[in-house]
């Protein structure tokens, strides 16, 4: 925190004040909120090392395990997956709750990648659910889109009644 006044001429006006100085100026409730928001910002800006605890009501920052990818351990004792935010499921891929929604997200991510070249969402889905599974979904999606295109852009043969 720094002095909010633009006209402040104090020599140390640009330096941050310590937590102990700040605690003298604000209530305990406000200080708790400030600490929580700082931790939340730290988790959001450095998601490779930190994540907000997935346990409801915890609000602590959990540290990502350096040895095991996706593992987060919170000080409250909750151990969870950084990607799906569910209890730790080991090295198994994250559970799929709604296949239809997942397929639609993946299809949209593939279409977005084709348009603007960004594959961030597609890579995230592949990391979360497994590359091979998502590629199988992609094949099914492409086949469904091809059939959809054929139905929309073809005419029935007058003799054989086939498309």
């Amino acid at each position: 925190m720094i002095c909010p006044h633009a006209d402040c001429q104090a020599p140390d006006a640009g330096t941050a004040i310590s937590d102990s100085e700040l605690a003298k100026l604000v209530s305990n409730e406000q200080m708790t909120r400030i600490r929580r928001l700082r931790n939340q910002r730290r988790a959001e800006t450095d998601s490779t090392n930190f994540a907000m605890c997935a346990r409801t009501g915890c609000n602590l920052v959990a540290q990502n395990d350096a040895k095991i990818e996706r593992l987060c351990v919170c000080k409250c004792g909750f151990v969870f997956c950084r990607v799906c935010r569910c209890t730790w499921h080991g090295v198994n891929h994250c559970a799929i709750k709604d296949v239809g929604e997942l397929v639609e997200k993946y299809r949209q991510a593939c279409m977005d990648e084709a348009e603007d070249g960004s594959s961030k969402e597609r890579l995230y889905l592949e990391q979360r659910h497994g590359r091979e599974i998502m590629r199988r979904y992609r094949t099914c999606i492409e086949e469904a889109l091809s059939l959809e295109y054929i139905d929309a852009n073809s005419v029935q043969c007058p003799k054989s009644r086939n498309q």
Side-chain angles (χ1 to χ4, degrees):
M1 293 276 201
I2 58 173
C3 181
H5 297 291
D7 301 339
C8 184
Q9 299 296 321
D12 58 350
T15 60
I17 62 173
S18 68
D19 279 356
S20 59
E21 292 172 321
L22 186 59
K24 292 175 186 175
L25 301 172
V26 299
S27 68
N28 286 340
E29 185 178 294
Q30 289 172 324
M31 195 63 199
T32 302
R33 182 170 187 261
I34 289 169
R35 286 189 183 115
R36 182 178 52 80
L37 291 173
R38 277 186 191 158
N39 287 337
Q40 187 175 350
R41 183 178 64 206
R42 182 174 65 175
E44 289 170 354
T45 57
D46 188 8
S47 62
T48 56
N49 294 315
F50 303 100
M52 290 303 292
C53 182
R55 179 180 271 167
T56 306
C58 177
N59 294 328
L60 293 174
V61 173
Q63 181 126 13
N64 295 342
D65 191 282
K67 296 175 186 168
I68 303 173
E69 187 181 356
R70 299 186 299 178
L71 173 66
C72 284
V73 180
C74 184
K75 290 178 183 176
C76 73
F78 189 62
V79 181
F80 64 98
C81 173
R82 174 177 54 88
V83 178
C84 68
R85 305 188 53 74
C86 292
T87 55
W88 181 240
H89 48 77
V91 294
N92 298 326
H93 292 294
C94 302
I96 299 171
K97 294 176 184 164
D98 184 356
V99 174
E101 182 182 332
L102 176 64
V103 169
E104 181 57 33
K105 278 184 183 178
Y106 192 68
R107 184 183 72 77
Q108 188 62 47
C110 291
M111 290 173 64
D112 291 347
E113 180 182 12
E115 287 178 13
D116 62 15
S118 173
S119 62
K120 189 175 183 179
E121 179 69 14
R122 181 185 60 79
L123 291 173
Y124 166 75
L125 290 170
E126 287 177 356
Q127 176 192 14
R128 182 172 179 174
H129 300 290
R131 180 176 288 138
E132 191 57 38
I133 292 171
M134 295 312 299
R135 288 193 176 157
R136 286 182 193 160
Y137 282 146
R138 186 176 187 168
T139 302
C140 292
I141 291 166
E142 288 170 353
E143 288 175 10
L145 289 174
S146 295
L147 290 173
E148 206 175 279
Y149 178 83
I150 290 169
D151 286 343
N153 297 299
S154 61
V155 249
Q156 214 170 29
C157 176
K159 289 185 179 180
S160 66
R161 302 277 183 214
N162 292 327
Q163 280 189 332

